């Protein structure tokens, strides 16, 4: 039953990471959408440090509690402006961020799928 508990803990961590990556995708998409809106300030999502803190003792401690890990939106340098109209969205940076975030999303989904298959195998035996 230890292996099942370990897979359950991993699934919880991966679901939390997927929530953070999904939130980041939404914020990046919003930044891109508002790239031409005067005064718009780009947002950034942070959750990795909170997730790292919550999982610091994993795998030694398999009772991981990631329920307090919530992705938060921060506004990067709200006083810094890239353009004269007050908008600080750099479209090239946002497109790179979107690509990197998509790769993270795909990796997490693949890991969740692999964990689900492992759980299915354990339950069938």
């Amino acid at each position: 039953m230890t292996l099942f508990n370990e897979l359950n803990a991993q699934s919880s961590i991966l679901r939390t990471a997927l929530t953070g990556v999904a939130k980041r995708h939404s914020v990046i998409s919003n930044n891109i959408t508002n790239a031409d809106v005067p005064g718009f300030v780009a947002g950034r999502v942070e959750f990795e440090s909170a997730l790292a803190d919550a999982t610091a003792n994993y795998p030694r401690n398999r009772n991981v509690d990631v329920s307090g890990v919530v992705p938060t939106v921060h506004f990067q340098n709200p006083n810094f402006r890239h353009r004269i109209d007050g908008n600080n969205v750099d479209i090239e940076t946002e497109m790179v961020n979107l690509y990197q975030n998509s790769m993270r999303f795909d990796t997490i989904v693949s890991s969740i799928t692999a964990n689900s298959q492992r759980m299915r195998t354990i339950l069938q035996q």
Side-chain angles (χ1 to χ4, degrees):
M1 206 55 153
T2 303
L3 182 59
F4 183 76
N5 290 342
E6 183 174 335
L7 290 174
N8 194 32
Q10 289 174 1
S11 293
S12 177
I13 294 167
L14 289 169
R15 279 192 310 271
T16 302
L18 188 63
T19 300
V21 169
K23 179 67 174 179
R24 179 173 289 135
H25 185 85
S26 174
V27 169
I28 293 170
S29 297
N30 188 48
N31 292 345
I32 293 169
T33 301
N34 291 293
D36 294 326
V37 175
F40 181 80
V41 178
R44 298 284 175 255
V45 173
E46 171 61 36
F47 70 93
E48 286 92 345
S49 59
L51 185 58
D53 290 345
T55 60
N57 292 326
Y58 183 80
R60 284 176 278 139
N61 179 6
R62 290 189 179 99
N63 296 324
V64 176
D65 182 17
V66 292
S67 61
V69 177
V70 178
T72 55
V73 180
H74 300 282
F75 295 94
Q76 186 179 22
N77 298 325
N79 297 323
F80 178 74
R81 305 289 184 224
H82 284 284
R83 299 190 318 229
I84 200 162
D85 69 356
N87 187 308
N88 74 343
V89 175
D90 178 9
I91 196 70
E92 288 86 13
T93 300
E94 296 300 327
M95 294 305 289
V96 168
N97 290 342
L98 185 65
Y99 175 76
Q100 290 174 338
N101 197 61
S102 295
M103 294 297 102
R104 286 184 187 107
F105 181 88
D106 290 346
T107 301
I108 293 168
V109 168
S110 294
S111 296
I112 290 172
T113 301
N115 262 10
S116 296
Q117 290 171 348
R118 286 185 209 112
M119 281 189 176
R120 193 172 311 120
T121 300
I122 290 170
L123 292 173
Q124 289 174 349
Q125 293 181 358

